[in-house]
Amino acid sequence: MLVPGLIVLLLFLFVSFSYYAYQIVYTANVDTKNRETYVLIPTGATYEEAMDSIEATGVIIDKLSLRFMSKLMDYNELVKPGRYELEHGWSNRQLIGVLRLGQQTPLNLTFANIRLRNQLAEKLAANVEASEEEVDSLLNNEAYLASLGFDTTNIVSMFIPNTYEVYWTTTAPALLERMKTEYDKFWTPERKAKADKMGLSQQEVSTLASIVQAETLKSDEKPRVAGVYLNRLDKGMLLQADPTVVFAVRDFTIRRVLNVHLAHDSPYNTYKYKGLPPGPINVPNISSIDAVLNPEQHNYLYFCAKEDFSGYHAFATTVSEHQANARRFHRALNERNILK
């Protein structure tokens, strides 16, 4: 028969243990101070590496209780890579439950204003676990790109600037395949029909769209600029697009294209070679692509920046008109003492 004092002690221990067990399981142990907080668990991470990453976020209140709960829930056997948002007020049970099930938090992948493949690789890799080297290697792998229907000169056209929901653990091949799927979705039967009617392939549309995008930042002007280049193509004229020369020279600091630049021998130099260059000179956005597919119908063959520095252009049908527009612009530059 137990003495009363021992019974009291056992009850006290039972209540204390029950209270502590309740705290370990159900009490809030994540304090993010209502700031977005993420933990990255790399592929192949060990249990200790995963726990170190979680604790390094600085939002765990009681690290010992978290580790105790993680062992109870067999997290040491169920570590899954990913990017996880830690919610304010989560208990140990909630946190470990999300991690052991691999319930990643998706992220938004957005890219724009990209010229070169290596810039594209850098932007993509900044959002996923795959390294820049892995992505860049695929973007330069002719055999792999051929399996997607592209090559190194036109692969950037496969990337349609938009916002895409992806997971951080997405591999380099999976990411490119996802972009190919999005590319195929973008090129609807209606868009394909418009390209066919113009006698252009999808990739040629993207190439011309990249030139239009480099020429004007004004979305409402893009169809008119596209019309100019389409008119020149129809007449067999040189496109004479300054942005293609800048791309050929690979000096994006150029403010004024000079004769020395125009003499540069490159298939991208549209002052020397007729037709479209081999591929896009940037990653064209949707408004630029749609401007080419829906060009303004007119007879303009030339354009130059307006003298009011509004960002818009003055268009002309003849060389003499174009030269008059150019003189006005250069006069405005001189008056403002602006180097061009």
Side-chain angles (χ1 to χ4, degrees):
M1 183 174 180
L2 296 174
V3 297
L6 183 57
I7 293 175
V8 171
L9 177 60
L10 291 173
L11 284 174
F12 174 78
L13 292 174
F14 175 76
V15 171
S16 298
F17 177 78
S18 298
Y19 178 70
Y20 184 61
Y22 179 87
Q23 284 187 312
I24 290 174
V25 178
Y26 297 109
T27 301
N29 197 31
V30 176
D31 181 10
T32 66
K33 295 180 174 55
N34 293 314
R35 295 192 296 265
E36 286 189 358
T37 304
Y38 299 90
V39 60
L40 301 177
I41 309 296
T43 298
T46 65
Y47 167 74
E48 285 298 332
E49 289 170 337
M51 294 305 295
D52 287 344
S53 295
I54 297 166
E55 293 171 1
T57 62
V59 301
I60 304 302
I61 300 170
D62 184 349
K63 298 177 182 178
L64 182 61
S65 70
L66 176 65
R67 284 179 175 266
F68 184 73
M69 191 64 192
S70 70
K71 291 292 182 67
L72 287 178
M73 296 180 68
D74 295 325
Y75 180 57
N76 55 316
E77 302 293 335
L78 297 167
V79 174
K80 293 181 174 64
R83 171 183 178 270
Y84 304 92
E85 182 173 10
L86 305 185
E87 297 286 349
H88 181 76
W90 264 358
S91 66
N92 289 327
R93 182 173 177 272
Q94 289 173 306
L95 172 55
I96 299 302
V98 166
L99 296 176
R100 73 198 294 271
L101 291 175
Q103 294 178 337
Q104 293 190 60
T105 305
L107 56 83
N108 289 328
L109 171 62
T110 303
F111 50 87
N113 302 319
I114 294 172
R115 291 191 182 98
L116 306 172
R117 290 195 306 276
N118 65 317
Q119 293 175 326
L120 183 58
E122 179 182 5
K123 180 64 176 179
L124 296 175
N127 291 276
V128 295
E129 186 181 18
S131 69
E132 181 181 340
E133 291 73 23
E134 289 176 304
V135 178
D136 191 58
S137 177
L138 289 181
L139 292 177
N140 286 280
N141 187 321
E142 292 283 6
Y144 177 75
L145 297 182
S147 72
L148 299 175
F150 295 86
D151 58 39
T152 54
T153 64
N154 59 34
I155 183 58
V156 298
S157 66
M158 189 182 79
F159 296 83
I160 306 297
N162 212 329
T163 298
Y164 304 98
E165 192 174 85
V166 300
Y167 289 106
W168 180 69
T169 50
T170 302
T171 63
L175 183 58
L176 264 63
E177 288 160 17
R178 167 69 184 283
M179 292 298 100
K180 176 59 164 62
T181 298
E182 297 295 342
Y183 174 85
D184 291 338
K185 288 180 183 178
F186 172 80
W187 278 98
T188 61
E190 181 183 7
R191 284 191 172 103
K192 288 180 180 178
K194 288 180 178 180
D196 289 342
K197 186 175 180 179
M198 298 166 68
L200 298 176
S201 68
Q202 294 169 201
Q203 292 164 13
E204 287 173 330
V205 169
S206 293
T207 297
L208 182 51
S210 73
I211 297 174
V212 171
Q213 181 165 297
E215 290 284 15
T216 180
L217 297 176
K218 306 294 186 181
S219 293
D220 58 338
E221 190 182 55
K222 288 180 179 180
R224 179 168 292 187
V225 172
V228 170
Y229 285 122
L230 288 168
N231 287 344
R232 293 179 77 92
L233 285 173
D234 287 342
K235 292 180 177 295
M237 299 172 65
L238 289 166
L239 292 186
Q240 296 184 323
D242 286 2
T244 66
V245 178
V246 172
F247 184 85
V249 176
R250 290 293 200 278
D251 180 358
F252 301 109
T253 65
I254 294 173
R255 296 185 62 186
R256 182 181 182 184
V257 174
L258 305 174
N259 288 334
V260 65
H261 304 131
L262 297 180
H264 184 76
D265 190 21
S266 166
Y268 286 91
N269 185 345
T270 56
Y271 277 81
K272 291 178 71 73
Y273 295 95
K274 285 186 178 181
L276 293 167
I281 60 173
N282 56 52
V283 178
N285 58 34
I286 292 175
S287 68
S288 299
I289 296 172
D290 282 342
V292 173
L293 294 174
N294 302 278
E296 183 178 309
Q297 302 300 314
H298 55 62
N299 296 318
Y300 295 133
L301 294 172
Y302 309 91
F303 63 92
C304 73
K306 278 191 171 182
E307 68 274 15
D308 60 4
F309 301 101
S310 62
Y312 284 95
H313 295 78
F315 294 80
T317 57
T318 66
V319 172
S320 59
E321 290 175 354
H322 176 59
Q323 290 175 336
N325 291 335
R327 282 194 296 271
R328 280 194 292 271
F329 179 63
H330 288 136
R331 189 180 307 119
L333 285 175
N334 292 333
E335 290 172 357
R336 295 196 180 193
N337 196 29
I338 297 175
L339 174 65
K340 184 173 186 300

